[in-house]
mmCIF file with all atom_site columns, all heavy atoms in Angstrom:
data_model
loop_
_atom_site.group_PDB
_atom_site.id
_atom_site.type_symbol
_atom_site.label_atom_id
_atom_site.label_alt_id
_atom_site.label_comp_id
_atom_site.label_asym_id
_atom_site.label_entity_id
_atom_site.label_seq_id
_atom_site.pdbx_PDB_ins_code
_atom_site.Cartn_x
_atom_site.Cartn_y
_atom_site.Cartn_z
_atom_site.occupancy
_atom_site.B_iso_or_equiv
_atom_site.pdbx_formal_charge
_atom_site.auth_seq_id
_atom_site.auth_comp_id
_atom_site.auth_asym_id
_atom_site.auth_atom_id
_atom_site.pdbx_PDB_model_num
ATOM 1   N N   . LEU A 1 1  ? 116.772 113.394 175.596 1.00 42.00 ? 1  LEU A N   1
ATOM 2   C CA  . LEU A 1 1  ? 115.823 113.024 176.671 1.00 42.00 ? 1  LEU A CA  1
ATOM 3   C C   . LEU A 1 1  ? 115.692 114.210 177.623 1.00 42.00 ? 1  LEU A C   1
ATOM 4   O O   . LEU A 1 1  ? 114.546 114.442 178.145 1.00 42.00 ? 1  LEU A O   1
ATOM 5   C CB  . LEU A 1 1  ? 116.396 111.768 177.427 1.00 42.00 ? 1  LEU A CB  1
ATOM 6   C CG  . LEU A 1 1  ? 115.642 111.316 178.632 1.00 42.00 ? 1  LEU A CG  1
ATOM 7   C CD1 . LEU A 1 1  ? 114.191 110.984 178.187 1.00 42.00 ? 1  LEU A CD1 1
ATOM 8   C CD2 . LEU A 1 1  ? 116.308 110.162 179.298 1.00 42.00 ? 1  LEU A CD2 1
ATOM 9   N N   . ASN A 1 2  ? 116.744 114.889 177.930 1.00 46.00 ? 2  ASN A N   1
ATOM 10  C CA  . ASN A 1 2  ? 116.679 115.972 178.877 1.00 46.00 ? 2  ASN A CA  1
ATOM 11  C C   . ASN A 1 2  ? 115.702 117.108 178.425 1.00 46.00 ? 2  ASN A C   1
ATOM 12  O O   . ASN A 1 2  ? 114.892 117.611 179.134 1.00 46.00 ? 2  ASN A O   1
ATOM 13  C CB  . ASN A 1 2  ? 118.064 116.587 179.155 1.00 46.00 ? 2  ASN A CB  1
ATOM 14  C CG  . ASN A 1 2  ? 118.973 115.629 179.882 1.00 46.00 ? 2  ASN A CG  1
ATOM 15  O OD1 . ASN A 1 2  ? 118.477 114.662 180.519 1.00 46.00 ? 2  ASN A OD1 1
ATOM 16  N ND2 . ASN A 1 2  ? 120.226 115.802 179.743 1.00 46.00 ? 2  ASN A ND2 1
ATOM 17  N N   . PHE A 1 3  ? 115.801 117.419 177.156 1.00 44.00 ? 3  PHE A N   1
ATOM 18  C CA  . PHE A 1 3  ? 114.913 118.440 176.611 1.00 44.00 ? 3  PHE A CA  1
ATOM 19  C C   . PHE A 1 3  ? 113.542 117.991 176.426 1.00 44.00 ? 3  PHE A C   1
ATOM 20  O O   . PHE A 1 3  ? 112.576 118.812 176.504 1.00 44.00 ? 3  PHE A O   1
ATOM 21  C CB  . PHE A 1 3  ? 115.492 119.029 175.292 1.00 44.00 ? 3  PHE A CB  1
ATOM 22  C CG  . PHE A 1 3  ? 116.473 120.170 175.542 1.00 44.00 ? 3  PHE A CG  1
ATOM 23  C CD1 . PHE A 1 3  ? 117.803 119.903 175.749 1.00 44.00 ? 3  PHE A CD1 1
ATOM 24  C CD2 . PHE A 1 3  ? 115.957 121.459 175.521 1.00 44.00 ? 3  PHE A CD2 1
ATOM 25  C CE1 . PHE A 1 3  ? 118.627 120.904 175.957 1.00 44.00 ? 3  PHE A CE1 1
ATOM 26  C CE2 . PHE A 1 3  ? 116.861 122.483 175.759 1.00 44.00 ? 3  PHE A CE2 1
ATOM 27  C CZ  . PHE A 1 3  ? 118.181 122.272 175.963 1.00 44.00 ? 3  PHE A CZ  1
ATOM 28  N N   . ALA A 1 4  ? 113.312 116.740 176.217 1.00 42.00 ? 4  ALA A N   1
ATOM 29  C CA  . ALA A 1 4  ? 112.030 116.170 176.169 1.00 42.00 ? 4  ALA A CA  1
ATOM 30  C C   . ALA A 1 4  ? 111.335 116.338 177.540 1.00 42.00 ? 4  ALA A C   1
ATOM 31  O O   . ALA A 1 4  ? 110.202 116.807 177.710 1.00 42.00 ? 4  ALA A O   1
ATOM 32  C CB  . ALA A 1 4  ? 111.977 114.740 175.767 1.00 42.00 ? 4  ALA A CB  1
ATOM 33  N N   . LEU A 1 5  ? 112.014 116.051 178.608 1.00 41.00 ? 5  LEU A N   1
ATOM 34  C CA  . LEU A 1 5  ? 111.558 116.229 179.993 1.00 41.00 ? 5  LEU A CA  1
ATOM 35  C C   . LEU A 1 5  ? 111.344 117.731 180.244 1.00 41.00 ? 5  LEU A C   1
ATOM 36  O O   . LEU A 1 5  ? 110.439 118.099 180.906 1.00 41.00 ? 5  LEU A O   1
ATOM 37  C CB  . LEU A 1 5  ? 112.564 115.669 180.987 1.00 41.00 ? 5  LEU A CB  1
ATOM 38  C CG  . LEU A 1 5  ? 112.616 114.074 180.999 1.00 41.00 ? 5  LEU A CG  1
ATOM 39  C CD1 . LEU A 1 5  ? 113.770 113.680 181.932 1.00 41.00 ? 5  LEU A CD1 1
ATOM 40  C CD2 . LEU A 1 5  ? 111.292 113.508 181.401 1.00 41.00 ? 5  LEU A CD2 1
ATOM 41  N N   . LEU A 1 6  ? 112.232 118.528 179.740 1.00 43.00 ? 6  LEU A N   1
ATOM 42  C CA  . LEU A 1 6  ? 112.118 119.970 179.920 1.00 43.00 ? 6  LEU A CA  1
ATOM 43  C C   . LEU A 1 6  ? 110.828 120.503 179.361 1.00 43.00 ? 6  LEU A C   1
ATOM 44  O O   . LEU A 1 6  ? 110.091 121.232 179.964 1.00 43.00 ? 6  LEU A O   1
ATOM 45  C CB  . LEU A 1 6  ? 113.318 120.675 179.256 1.00 43.00 ? 6  LEU A CB  1
ATOM 46  C CG  . LEU A 1 6  ? 113.178 122.186 179.013 1.00 43.00 ? 6  LEU A CG  1
ATOM 47  C CD1 . LEU A 1 6  ? 113.202 122.900 180.321 1.00 43.00 ? 6  LEU A CD1 1
ATOM 48  C CD2 . LEU A 1 6  ? 114.325 122.671 178.184 1.00 43.00 ? 6  LEU A CD2 1
ATOM 49  N N   . SER A 1 7  ? 110.452 120.078 178.167 1.00 43.00 ? 7  SER A N   1
ATOM 50  C CA  . SER A 1 7  ? 109.280 120.575 177.537 1.00 43.00 ? 7  SER A CA  1
ATOM 51  C C   . SER A 1 7  ? 107.949 119.958 178.036 1.00 43.00 ? 7  SER A C   1
ATOM 52  O O   . SER A 1 7  ? 106.909 120.502 177.980 1.00 43.00 ? 7  SER A O   1
ATOM 53  C CB  . SER A 1 7  ? 109.338 120.313 176.036 1.00 43.00 ? 7  SER A CB  1
ATOM 54  O OG  . SER A 1 7  ? 109.408 118.941 175.745 1.00 43.00 ? 7  SER A OG  1
ATOM 55  N N   . PHE A 1 8  ? 108.077 118.761 178.689 1.00 38.00 ? 8  PHE A N   1
ATOM 56  C CA  . PHE A 1 8  ? 106.910 118.039 179.091 1.00 38.00 ? 8  PHE A CA  1
ATOM 57  C C   . PHE A 1 8  ? 106.546 118.254 180.584 1.00 38.00 ? 8  PHE A C   1
ATOM 58  O O   . PHE A 1 8  ? 105.394 118.402 180.906 1.00 38.00 ? 8  PHE A O   1
ATOM 59  C CB  . PHE A 1 8  ? 107.123 116.536 178.845 1.00 38.00 ? 8  PHE A CB  1
ATOM 60  C CG  . PHE A 1 8  ? 105.945 115.700 179.251 1.00 38.00 ? 8  PHE A CG  1
ATOM 61  C CD1 . PHE A 1 8  ? 104.786 115.732 178.506 1.00 38.00 ? 8  PHE A CD1 1
ATOM 62  C CD2 . PHE A 1 8  ? 105.997 114.980 180.421 1.00 38.00 ? 8  PHE A CD2 1
ATOM 63  C CE1 . PHE A 1 8  ? 103.706 114.958 178.935 1.00 38.00 ? 8  PHE A CE1 1
ATOM 64  C CE2 . PHE A 1 8  ? 104.962 114.166 180.814 1.00 38.00 ? 8  PHE A CE2 1
ATOM 65  C CZ  . PHE A 1 8  ? 103.798 114.175 180.057 1.00 38.00 ? 8  PHE A CZ  1
ATOM 66  N N   . CYS A 1 9  ? 107.559 118.288 181.413 1.00 40.00 ? 9  CYS A N   1
ATOM 67  C CA  . CYS A 1 9  ? 107.242 118.213 182.843 1.00 40.00 ? 9  CYS A CA  1
ATOM 68  C C   . CYS A 1 9  ? 107.330 119.542 183.587 1.00 40.00 ? 9  CYS A C   1
ATOM 69  O O   . CYS A 1 9  ? 106.802 119.666 184.659 1.00 40.00 ? 9  CYS A O   1
ATOM 70  C CB  . CYS A 1 9  ? 108.248 117.260 183.573 1.00 40.00 ? 9  CYS A CB  1
ATOM 71  S SG  . CYS A 1 9  ? 108.078 115.577 183.032 1.00 40.00 ? 9  CYS A SG  1
ATOM 72  N N   . PHE A 1 10 ? 107.906 120.559 183.007 1.00 40.00 ? 10 PHE A N   1
ATOM 73  C CA  . PHE A 1 10 ? 108.159 121.756 183.820 1.00 40.00 ? 10 PHE A CA  1
ATOM 74  C C   . PHE A 1 10 ? 107.706 123.017 183.139 1.00 40.00 ? 10 PHE A C   1
ATOM 75  O O   . PHE A 1 10 ? 108.515 123.881 182.749 1.00 40.00 ? 10 PHE A O   1
ATOM 76  C CB  . PHE A 1 10 ? 109.650 121.898 184.149 1.00 40.00 ? 10 PHE A CB  1
ATOM 77  C CG  . PHE A 1 10 ? 110.143 120.794 185.014 1.00 40.00 ? 10 PHE A CG  1
ATOM 78  C CD1 . PHE A 1 10 ? 110.736 119.658 184.415 1.00 40.00 ? 10 PHE A CD1 1
ATOM 79  C CD2 . PHE A 1 10 ? 109.970 120.744 186.336 1.00 40.00 ? 10 PHE A CD2 1
ATOM 80  C CE1 . PHE A 1 10 ? 111.170 118.617 185.189 1.00 40.00 ? 10 PHE A CE1 1
ATOM 81  C CE2 . PHE A 1 10 ? 110.382 119.716 187.129 1.00 40.00 ? 10 PHE A CE2 1
ATOM 82  C CZ  . PHE A 1 10 ? 110.959 118.663 186.588 1.00 40.00 ? 10 PHE A CZ  1
ATOM 83  N N   . PRO A 1 11 ? 106.418 123.273 183.051 1.00 40.00 ? 11 PRO A N   1
ATOM 84  C CA  . PRO A 1 11 ? 105.906 124.503 182.479 1.00 40.00 ? 11 PRO A CA  1
ATOM 85  C C   . PRO A 1 11 ? 105.812 125.623 183.569 1.00 40.00 ? 11 PRO A C   1
ATOM 86  O O   . PRO A 1 11 ? 104.764 126.145 183.840 1.00 40.00 ? 11 PRO A O   1
ATOM 87  C CB  . PRO A 1 11 ? 104.525 124.111 181.999 1.00 40.00 ? 11 PRO A CB  1
ATOM 88  C CG  . PRO A 1 11 ? 104.074 123.062 182.969 1.00 40.00 ? 11 PRO A CG  1
ATOM 89  C CD  . PRO A 1 11 ? 105.320 122.306 183.344 1.00 40.00 ? 11 PRO A CD  1
ATOM 90  N N   . PHE A 1 12 ? 106.929 125.897 184.235 1.00 39.00 ? 12 PHE A N   1
ATOM 91  C CA  . PHE A 1 12 ? 106.829 126.877 185.352 1.00 39.00 ? 12 PHE A CA  1
ATOM 92  C C   . PHE A 1 12 ? 107.644 128.148 185.091 1.00 39.00 ? 12 PHE A C   1
ATOM 93  O O   . PHE A 1 12 ? 107.700 129.007 185.941 1.00 39.00 ? 12 PHE A O   1
ATOM 94  C CB  . PHE A 1 12 ? 107.420 126.264 186.667 1.00 39.00 ? 12 PHE A CB  1
ATOM 95  C CG  . PHE A 1 12 ? 106.532 125.094 187.133 1.00 39.00 ? 12 PHE A CG  1
ATOM 96  C CD1 . PHE A 1 12 ? 106.902 123.799 186.899 1.00 39.00 ? 12 PHE A CD1 1
ATOM 97  C CD2 . PHE A 1 12 ? 105.289 125.360 187.733 1.00 39.00 ? 12 PHE A CD2 1
ATOM 98  C CE1 . PHE A 1 12 ? 106.048 122.774 187.316 1.00 39.00 ? 12 PHE A CE1 1
ATOM 99  C CE2 . PHE A 1 12 ? 104.477 124.339 188.145 1.00 39.00 ? 12 PHE A CE2 1
ATOM 100 C CZ  . PHE A 1 12 ? 104.874 123.074 187.931 1.00 39.00 ? 12 PHE A CZ  1
ATOM 101 N N   . CYS A 1 13 ? 108.370 128.283 184.037 1.00 39.00 ? 13 CYS A N   1
ATOM 102 C CA  . CYS A 1 13 ? 109.009 129.502 183.710 1.00 39.00 ? 13 CYS A CA  1
ATOM 103 C C   . CYS A 1 13 ? 108.838 129.754 182.221 1.00 39.00 ? 13 CYS A C   1
ATOM 104 O O   . CYS A 1 13 ? 108.629 128.796 181.494 1.00 39.00 ? 13 CYS A O   1
ATOM 105 C CB  . CYS A 1 13 ? 110.493 129.464 184.053 1.00 39.00 ? 13 CYS A CB  1
ATOM 106 S SG  . CYS A 1 13 ? 111.450 128.190 183.187 1.00 39.00 ? 13 CYS A SG  1
ATOM 107 N N   . GLU A 1 14 ? 108.970 130.959 181.769 1.00 41.00 ? 14 GLU A N   1
ATOM 108 C CA  . GLU A 1 14 ? 108.655 131.296 180.400 1.00 41.00 ? 14 GLU A CA  1
ATOM 109 C C   . GLU A 1 14 ? 109.956 131.267 179.624 1.00 41.00 ? 14 GLU A C   1
ATOM 110 O O   . GLU A 1 14 ? 110.900 132.047 179.852 1.00 41.00 ? 14 GLU A O   1
ATOM 111 C CB  . GLU A 1 14 ? 107.994 132.632 180.315 1.00 41.00 ? 14 GLU A CB  1
ATOM 112 C CG  . GLU A 1 14 ? 107.644 132.948 178.865 1.00 41.00 ? 14 GLU A CG  1
ATOM 113 C CD  . GLU A 1 14 ? 106.768 134.185 178.822 1.00 41.00 ? 14 GLU A CD  1
ATOM 114 O OE1 . GLU A 1 14 ? 106.434 134.746 179.820 1.00 41.00 ? 14 GLU A OE1 1
ATOM 115 O OE2 . GLU A 1 14 ? 106.511 134.616 177.679 1.00 41.00 ? 14 GLU A OE2 1
ATOM 116 N N   . MET A 1 15 ? 110.024 130.349 178.672 1.00 40.00 ? 15 MET A N   1
ATOM 117 C CA  . MET A 1 15 ? 111.141 130.275 177.724 1.00 40.00 ? 15 MET A CA  1
ATOM 118 C C   . MET A 1 15 ? 110.601 130.523 176.352 1.00 40.00 ? 15 MET A C   1
ATOM 119 O O   . MET A 1 15 ? 109.850 129.676 175.831 1.00 40.00 ? 15 MET A O   1
ATOM 120 C CB  . MET A 1 15 ? 111.844 128.919 177.850 1.00 40.00 ? 15 MET A CB  1
ATOM 121 C CG  . MET A 1 15 ? 112.437 128.699 179.232 1.00 40.00 ? 15 MET A CG  1
ATOM 122 S SD  . MET A 1 15 ? 113.517 127.266 179.264 1.00 40.00 ? 15 MET A SD  1
ATOM 123 C CE  . MET A 1 15 ? 112.369 125.946 178.830 1.00 40.00 ? 15 MET A CE  1
ATOM 124 N N   . ALA A 1 16 ? 110.967 131.591 175.759 1.00 40.00 ? 16 ALA A N   1
ATOM 125 C CA  . ALA A 1 16 ? 110.412 131.926 174.493 1.00 40.00 ? 16 ALA A CA  1
ATOM 126 C C   . ALA A 1 16 ? 111.527 132.490 173.585 1.00 40.00 ? 16 ALA A C   1
ATOM 127 O O   . ALA A 1 16 ? 112.328 133.247 174.035 1.00 40.00 ? 16 ALA A O   1
ATOM 128 C CB  . ALA A 1 16 ? 109.311 132.988 174.622 1.00 40.00 ? 16 ALA A CB  1
ATOM 129 N N   . ILE A 1 17 ? 111.581 132.070 172.350 1.00 47.00 ? 17 ILE A N   1
ATOM 130 C CA  . ILE A 1 17 ? 112.545 132.596 171.418 1.00 47.00 ? 17 ILE A CA  1
ATOM 131 C C   . ILE A 1 17 ? 111.675 133.172 170.235 1.00 47.00 ? 17 ILE A C   1
ATOM 132 O O   . ILE A 1 17 ? 110.501 133.021 170.230 1.00 47.00 ? 17 ILE A O   1
ATOM 133 C CB  . ILE A 1 17 ? 113.499 131.531 170.943 1.00 47.00 ? 17 ILE A CB  1
ATOM 134 C CG1 . ILE A 1 17 ? 112.750 130.289 170.372 1.00 47.00 ? 17 ILE A CG1 1
ATOM 135 C CG2 . ILE A 1 17 ? 114.423 131.144 172.035 1.00 47.00 ? 17 ILE A CG2 1
ATOM 136 C CD1 . ILE A 1 17 ? 113.672 129.186 169.892 1.00 47.00 ? 17 ILE A CD1 1
ATOM 137 N N   . ALA A 1 18 ? 112.406 133.746 169.284 1.00 44.00 ? 18 ALA A N   1
ATOM 138 C CA  . ALA A 1 18 ? 111.695 134.442 168.229 1.00 44.00 ? 18 ALA A CA  1
ATOM 139 C C   . ALA A 1 18 ? 110.749 133.548 167.489 1.00 44.00 ? 18 ALA A C   1
ATOM 140 O O   . ALA A 1 18 ? 109.670 133.920 167.093 1.00 44.00 ? 18 ALA A O   1
ATOM 141 C CB  . ALA A 1 18 ? 112.679 135.138 167.285 1.00 44.00 ? 18 ALA A CB  1
ATOM 142 N N   . ASP A 1 19 ? 111.217 132.341 167.210 1.00 51.00 ? 19 ASP A N   1
ATOM 143 C CA  . ASP A 1 19 ? 110.402 131.371 166.478 1.00 51.00 ? 19 ASP A CA  1
ATOM 144 C C   . ASP A 1 19 ? 110.374 130.091 167.327 1.00 51.00 ? 19 ASP A C   1
ATOM 145 O O   . ASP A 1 19 ? 111.130 129.877 168.243 1.00 51.00 ? 19 ASP A O   1
ATOM 146 C CB  . ASP A 1 19 ? 110.951 131.110 165.156 1.00 51.00 ? 19 ASP A CB  1
ATOM 147 C CG  . ASP A 1 19 ? 110.870 132.264 164.235 1.00 51.00 ? 19 ASP A CG  1
ATOM 148 O OD1 . ASP A 1 19 ? 109.745 132.809 164.092 1.00 51.00 ? 19 ASP A OD1 1
ATOM 149 O OD2 . ASP A 1 19 ? 111.888 132.707 163.702 1.00 51.00 ? 19 ASP A OD2 1
ATOM 150 N N   . ASP A 1 20 ? 109.399 129.268 167.012 1.00 73.00 ? 20 ASP A N   1
ATOM 151 C CA  . ASP A 1 20 ? 109.256 127.997 167.726 1.00 73.00 ? 20 ASP A CA  1
ATOM 152 C C   . ASP A 1 20 ? 110.068 126.953 167.026 1.00 73.00 ? 20 ASP A C   1
ATOM 153 O O   . ASP A 1 20 ? 109.657 126.340 166.046 1.00 73.00 ? 20 ASP A O   1
ATOM 154 C CB  . ASP A 1 20 ? 107.777 127.634 167.744 1.00 73.00 ? 20 ASP A CB  1
ATOM 155 C CG  . ASP A 1 20 ? 107.484 126.509 168.694 1.00 73.00 ? 20 ASP A CG  1
ATOM 156 O OD1 . ASP A 1 20 ? 108.382 126.061 169.418 1.00 73.00 ? 20 ASP A OD1 1
ATOM 157 O OD2 . ASP A 1 20 ? 106.303 126.130 168.803 1.00 73.00 ? 20 ASP A OD2 1
ATOM 158 N N   . TYR A 1 21 ? 111.271 126.675 167.572 1.00 82.00 ? 21 TYR A N   1
ATOM 159 C CA  . TYR A 1 21 ? 112.173 125.708 166.961 1.00 82.00 ? 21 TYR A CA  1
ATOM 160 C C   . TYR A 1 21 ? 112.063 124.351 167.618 1.00 82.00 ? 21 TYR A C   1
ATOM 161 O O   . TYR A 1 21 ? 111.719 124.285 168.779 1.00 82.00 ? 21 TYR A O   1
ATOM 162 C CB  . TYR A 1 21 ? 113.593 126.231 167.040 1.00 82.00 ? 21 TYR A CB  1
ATOM 163 C CG  . TYR A 1 21 ? 113.823 127.541 166.338 1.00 82.00 ? 21 TYR A CG  1
ATOM 164 C CD1 . TYR A 1 21 ? 114.198 128.659 167.023 1.00 82.00 ? 21 TYR A CD1 1
ATOM 165 C CD2 . TYR A 1 21 ? 113.602 127.728 164.967 1.00 82.00 ? 21 TYR A CD2 1
ATOM 166 C CE1 . TYR A 1 21 ? 114.377 129.909 166.470 1.00 82.00 ? 21 TYR A CE1 1
ATOM 167 C CE2 . TYR A 1 21 ? 113.732 128.931 164.320 1.00 82.00 ? 21 TYR A CE2 1
ATOM 168 C CZ  . TYR A 1 21 ? 114.169 130.024 165.113 1.00 82.00 ? 21 TYR A CZ  1
ATOM 169 O OH  . TYR A 1 21 ? 114.322 131.254 164.519 1.00 82.00 ? 21 TYR A OH  1
ATOM 170 N N   . LYS A 1 22 ? 112.535 123.341 166.831 1.00 84.00 ? 22 LYS A N   1
ATOM 171 C CA  . LYS A 1 22 ? 112.529 122.004 167.340 1.00 84.00 ? 22 LYS A CA  1
ATOM 172 C C   . LYS A 1 22 ? 113.931 121.576 167.790 1.00 84.00 ? 22 LYS A C   1
ATOM 173 O O   . LYS A 1 22 ? 114.120 120.763 168.675 1.00 84.00 ? 22 LYS A O   1
ATOM 174 C CB  . LYS A 1 22 ? 111.964 121.054 166.303 1.00 84.00 ? 22 LYS A CB  1
ATOM 175 C CG  . LYS A 1 22 ? 111.722 119.608 166.836 1.00 84.00 ? 22 LYS A CG  1
ATOM 176 C CD  . LYS A 1 22 ? 110.992 118.807 165.744 1.00 84.00 ? 22 LYS A CD  1
ATOM 177 C CE  . LYS A 1 22 ? 110.601 117.445 166.313 1.00 84.00 ? 22 LYS A CE  1
ATOM 178 N NZ  . LYS A 1 22 ? 110.008 116.637 165.295 1.00 84.00 ? 22 LYS A NZ  1
ATOM 179 N N   . TYR A 1 23 ? 114.922 122.147 167.133 1.00 85.00 ? 23 TYR A N   1
ATOM 180 C CA  . TYR A 1 23 ? 116.310 121.847 167.386 1.00 85.00 ? 23 TYR A CA  1
ATOM 181 C C   . TYR A 1 23 ? 117.157 123.122 167.428 1.00 85.00 ? 23 TYR A C   1
ATOM 182 O O   . TYR A 1 23 ? 116.717 124.147 166.959 1.00 85.00 ? 23 TYR A O   1
ATOM 183 C CB  . TYR A 1 23 ? 116.906 120.853 166.366 1.00 85.00 ? 23 TYR A CB  1
ATOM 184 C CG  . TYR A 1 23 ? 116.148 119.567 166.131 1.00 85.00 ? 23 TYR A CG  1
ATOM 185 C CD1 . TYR A 1 23 ? 115.233 119.442 165.126 1.00 85.00 ? 23 TYR A CD1 1
ATOM 186 C CD2 . TYR A 1 23 ? 116.333 118.522 167.006 1.00 85.00 ? 23 TYR A CD2 1
ATOM 187 C CE1 . TYR A 1 23 ? 114.524 118.327 164.892 1.00 85.00 ? 23 TYR A CE1 1
ATOM 188 C CE2 . TYR A 1 23 ? 115.607 117.326 166.819 1.00 85.00 ? 23 TYR A CE2 1
ATOM 189 C CZ  . TYR A 1 23 ? 114.743 117.248 165.784 1.00 85.00 ? 23 TYR A CZ  1
ATOM 190 O OH  . TYR A 1 23 ? 113.971 116.109 165.606 1.00 85.00 ? 23 TYR A OH  1
ATOM 191 N N   . PHE A 1 24 ? 118.375 122.895 167.979 1.00 86.00 ? 24 PHE A N   1
ATOM 192 C CA  . PHE A 1 24 ? 119.446 123.952 167.899 1.00 86.00 ? 24 PHE A CA  1
ATOM 193 C C   . PHE A 1 24 ? 120.643 123.321 167.193 1.00 86.00 ? 24 PHE A C   1
ATOM 194 O O   . PHE A 1 24 ? 120.895 122.109 167.296 1.00 86.00 ? 24 PHE A O   1
ATOM 195 C CB  . PHE A 1 24 ? 119.828 124.408 169.285 1.00 86.00 ? 24 PHE A CB  1
ATOM 196 C CG  . PHE A 1 24 ? 118.904 125.416 169.888 1.00 86.00 ? 24 PHE A CG  1
ATOM 197 C CD1 . PHE A 1 24 ? 118.508 125.277 171.215 1.00 86.00 ? 24 PHE A CD1 1
ATOM 198 C CD2 . PHE A 1 24 ? 118.317 126.478 169.152 1.00 86.00 ? 24 PHE A CD2 1
ATOM 199 C CE1 . PHE A 1 24 ? 117.622 126.197 171.800 1.00 86.00 ? 24 PHE A CE1 1
ATOM 200 C CE2 . PHE A 1 24 ? 117.460 127.356 169.711 1.00 86.00 ? 24 PHE A CE2 1
ATOM 201 C CZ  . PHE A 1 24 ? 117.066 127.225 171.038 1.00 86.00 ? 24 PHE A CZ  1
ATOM 202 N N   . LYS A 1 25 ? 121.403 124.174 166.541 1.00 87.00 ? 25 LYS A N   1
ATOM 203 C CA  . LYS A 1 25 ? 122.586 123.735 165.836 1.00 87.00 ? 25 LYS A CA  1
ATOM 204 C C   . LYS A 1 25 ? 123.663 124.826 165.957 1.00 87.00 ? 25 LYS A C   1
ATOM 205 O O   . LYS A 1 25 ? 123.334 125.995 165.882 1.00 87.00 ? 25 LYS A O   1
ATOM 206 C CB  . LYS A 1 25 ? 122.253 123.454 164.390 1.00 87.00 ? 25 LYS A CB  1
ATOM 207 C CG  . LYS A 1 25 ? 123.494 123.070 163.555 1.00 87.00 ? 25 LYS A CG  1
ATOM 208 C CD  . LYS A 1 25 ? 123.122 122.888 162.052 1.00 87.00 ? 25 LYS A CD  1
ATOM 209 C CE  . LYS A 1 25 ? 124.392 122.641 161.225 1.00 87.00 ? 25 LYS A CE  1
ATOM 210 N NZ  . LYS A 1 25 ? 124.064 122.530 159.816 1.00 87.00 ? 25 LYS A NZ  1
ATOM 211 N N   . THR A 1 26 ? 124.952 124.411 166.061 1.00 88.00 ? 26 THR A N   1
ATOM 212 C CA  . THR A 1 26 ? 126.020 125.377 166.089 1.00 88.00 ? 26 THR A CA  1
ATOM 213 C C   . THR A 1 26 ? 126.936 125.191 164.887 1.00 88.00 ? 26 THR A C   1
ATOM 214 O O   . THR A 1 26 ? 127.017 124.061 164.371 1.00 88.00 ? 26 THR A O   1
ATOM 215 C CB  . THR A 1 26 ? 126.860 125.292 167.392 1.00 88.00 ? 26 THR A CB  1
ATOM 216 O OG1 . THR A 1 26 ? 127.397 123.917 167.424 1.00 88.00 ? 26 THR A OG1 1
ATOM 217 C CG2 . THR A 1 26 ? 126.009 125.511 168.623 1.00 88.00 ? 26 THR A CG2 1
#
């Protein structure tokens, strides 16, 4: 839920990684 809010509500800083991923895994 937190990351859904992150991607939807706050387009005020640039967060970019090499590819456009949907999830992270360790």
Side-chain angles (χ1 to χ4, degrees):
L1 176 60
N2 294 338
F3 271 87
L5 292 173
L6 166 65
S7 62
F8 179 75
C9 296
F10 296 96
F12 295 101
C13 61
E14 183 170 355
M15 296 192 298
I17 54 180
D19 293 305
D20 194 0
Y21 301 118
K22 191 173 183 180
Y23 305 99
F24 283 134
K25 174 185 175 182
T26 61

